Amino acid sequence: MPDHRTVDLLVIGAGMAGLTAGARAVRDGLSVTVVEISGDVGGSARYAGYAWTAPSHEAMDRHNPGGDVSLKRALVDRFQEGIAWIRSTGVEAKDPQPILGFGQGHQFDTNHYADTCRRIIVEAGGELLLETDTERLVLEDGAVTGAVLVTGEGTRRQVRATSTLLATGGFQGDAELRNELVHPRAGRLELRSNPHSRGAGYRLATAAGASTGLPGAGFYGHLIPSGVPFRDPSDFVDLSLYYSEHALLLNVDNERFTDETLGDHLTTMALMEQPENRGLLIADARVFRDWVVGSYVQGAVAVDKFALAARRGGRAGFAENLDELDHLPEEWGYDGPAVRAAVERFNARTAAGAEPVPGRLLDRAPLDEPPYYVIEAVPALTFPFHGVRIDDRARALGEDGEPVEGLLAAGSDTGGLWYRAYAGGIASALVFGLTAAHTATPRTAPEGRRGPG
């Protein structure tokens, strides 16, 4: 099989991490080939609108204590460099604003960014191969030296590369891997992501000797109304029940089981582990007024998620007062009087200044302002936290903890940064995409051109 191209950097996956790495690398004078299995670039980043993370090491450690220390430090320290990079491409990144109560981030047009990175790569002479799969990585004496590709027409070709970056976006599109590596029931979850991230990077890396992160790391996702499938990517935001941080969530045993105020993304993981993976999300008039029909973050379009869930056929109920919760539809499978009693217990304890059980770290106000809005919620998965282990230079690590020569990874293909916690997937892809470009070694490297230390 003759080589068609020899490059400094081969990028497998054209989402946020891969496009960032490719564009940064060509600007640094490296030759680049970018491979994407779908028919367009951008991946799940096209459905996002913010780059955000914890603003300090202290905040990161507090909200993500189990994450790899070196990766957490790199993300916080290099985030502003990432925002400066976005602006350097001509894409506007707005002024910082608070996110999720502890984070800080910048709104930007991710579609404009993806298209701009593609233009930068192509105009600099980089090669972009769409609808192209990666059959295998090429290994020579334990080092990754490129990959064998298969085009949409079935043609095989080999690209040799000094560095190969895996940035395929995770394995959330593969139900079997989700069941094996996330949770035995994770395969049934609604996919809140592009459908093309099916574990290619994970399989390629492990076949090349790379190690993976800790089991049980969890996943990033959000609660959505049960029985309401996503119709298009705009639903990923419109159907996400972010306001759960201020509401009450009860499982099928009619009991609270977690501190909802820690974040909808964490409550989503907790519900995954409950019987039948479903629960009732209950809001009163205060929560409805302040959070259900309000913007999740400043500048975001507000959507009445209760009305949308009801209109789309979800299990959504309205109660004029707590007593009406007794009359939940029998086919939903909950005990109405027990649900009412659970809300009353919560209200009695919080109104008296006592700690509810489970506790509430943040919003401890009782839900005592009728009427009540009820939606049955289920978890939806965006990407897993389990993935390829990397160091703070985006180098894939082998089982011995040493880098696999020639192999890099970034974005949702990686594991170790998040452990049952989350502070920004776009930020991580941006920072470690840039890091991978700096680490990638030209075939003739100038003195000192070896990436961040």
Side-chain angles (χ1 to χ4, degrees):
M1 182 190 311
D3 291 344
H4 288 229
R5 188 171 173 87
T6 300
V7 295
D8 298 316
L9 177 62
L10 170 62
V11 179
I12 301 174
M16 185 71 186
L19 289 173
T20 297
R24 176 75 262 184
V26 297
R27 277 215 179 158
D28 286 347
L30 276 66
S31 56
V32 173
T33 290
V34 179
V35 179
E36 170 57 41
I37 194 170
S38 73
D40 195 10
V41 302
S44 295
R46 287 198 179 273
Y47 316 143
Y50 293 82
W52 75 276
T53 192
S56 66
H57 296 310
E58 293 75 19
M60 178 65 80
D61 290 342
R62 184 167 60 253
H63 291 275
N64 181 29
D68 180 276
V69 173
S70 66
L71 300 183
K72 292 190 297 184
R73 296 291 182 269
L75 177 56
V76 172
D77 290 344
R78 300 172 194 168
F79 178 62
Q80 286 307 316
E81 175 190 343
I83 298 302
W85 158 255
I86 291 174
R87 290 170 172 158
S88 79
T89 69
V91 175
E92 180 188 12
K94 295 184 178 179
D95 291 339
Q97 60 179 282
I99 307 285
L100 279 184
F102 72 92
Q104 188 174 83
H106 302 258
Q107 186 178 25
F108 72 109
D109 187 336
T110 52
N111 286 283
H112 185 198
Y113 179 75
D115 293 335
T116 298
C117 285
R118 169 170 50 191
R119 176 180 54 78
I120 290 171
I121 292 166
V122 172
E123 288 182 355
E127 183 180 35
L128 174 62
L129 303 174
L130 299 177
E131 298 182 330
T132 300
D133 198 3
T134 303
E135 182 176 86
R136 61 182 175 87
L137 298 179
V138 176
L139 285 97
E140 298 177 2
D141 298 324
V144 174
T145 58
V148 175
L149 312 176
V150 182
T151 68
E153 293 77 30
T155 302
R156 282 179 170 76
R157 57 175 292 192
Q158 182 172 323
V159 174
R160 293 189 63 84
T162 307
S163 300
T164 299
L165 170 64
L166 300 176
T168 67
F171 58 78
Q172 61 271 14
D174 187 298
E176 291 186 5
L177 281 179
R178 284 154 57 181
N179 284 337
E180 176 187 351
L181 300 171
V182 177
H183 190 279
R185 295 191 295 269
R188 70 176 69 168
L189 299 187
E190 191 78 26
L191 184 62
R192 189 180 176 273
S193 163
N194 83 85
H196 303 290
S197 295
R198 298 190 290 266
Y202 187 89
R203 293 186 177 93
L204 292 167
T206 53
S211 61
T212 59
L214 296 173
F219 64 94
Y220 171 60
H222 283 288
L223 298 178
I224 63 170
S226 67
V228 183
F230 294 122
R231 291 179 179 172
D232 58 60
S234 66
D235 282 345
F236 294 167
V237 171
D238 291 349
L239 288 175
S240 293
L241 305 176
Y242 305 122
Y243 71 88
S244 75
E245 300 172 9
H246 302 275
L248 298 182
L249 184 64
L250 278 61
N251 60 19
V252 294
D253 294 324
N254 316 296
E255 296 287 349
R256 290 182 60 235
F257 55 90
T258 191
D259 180 351
E260 301 92 343
T261 70
L262 296 180
D264 183 76
H265 56 297
L266 299 181
T267 301
T268 299
M269 280 191 283
L271 185 58
M272 171 78 257
E273 296 170 352
Q274 291 296 302
E276 301 182 34
N277 314 117
R278 62 190 180 99
L280 289 184
L281 190 62
I282 302 173
D284 70 349
R286 173 186 66 87
V287 174
F288 181 83
R289 180 178 60 249
D290 294 347
W291 302 104
V292 176
V293 295
S295 296
Y296 181 51
V297 293
Q298 183 180 349
V301 176
V303 175
D304 184 339
K305 296 176 185 296
F306 179 81
L308 179 61
R311 187 167 63 248
R312 295 278 290 272
R315 288 178 167 175
F318 177 83
E320 289 285 1
N321 51 56
L322 278 177
D323 288 341
E324 288 193 4
L325 293 178
D326 287 358
H327 307 296
L328 286 170
E330 186 175 342
E331 64 270 19
W332 288 16
Y334 300 86
D335 184 325
V339 168
R340 171 180 51 79
V343 178
E344 289 175 338
R345 284 195 302 273
F346 174 84
N347 286 347
R349 291 188 65 85
T350 52
E355 181 76 6
V357 180
R360 298 265 286 192
L361 181 64
L362 300 175
D363 187 346
R364 295 186 179 184
L367 270 67
D368 58 1
E369 184 182 339
Y372 293 87
Y373 302 82
V374 182
I375 296 177
E376 183 177 66
V378 295
L381 185 149
T382 303
F383 70 87
F385 295 153
H386 182 85
V388 181
R389 287 180 59 220
I390 60 170
D391 64 9
D392 62 0
R393 293 179 60 188
R395 298 180 298 183
L397 301 177
E399 295 293 345
D400 59 359
E402 294 298 317
V404 177
E405 186 177 347
L407 186 61
L408 310 172
S412 298
D413 277 348
T414 66
L417 173 59
W418 312 119
Y419 189 83
R420 305 195 69 81
Y422 176 73
I426 293 294
S428 169
L430 171 66
V431 164
F432 289 102
L434 289 173
T435 299
H438 290 310
T439 299
T441 306
R443 283 165 289 167
T444 304
E447 186 66 27
R449 177 61 169 82
R450 293 287 173 178

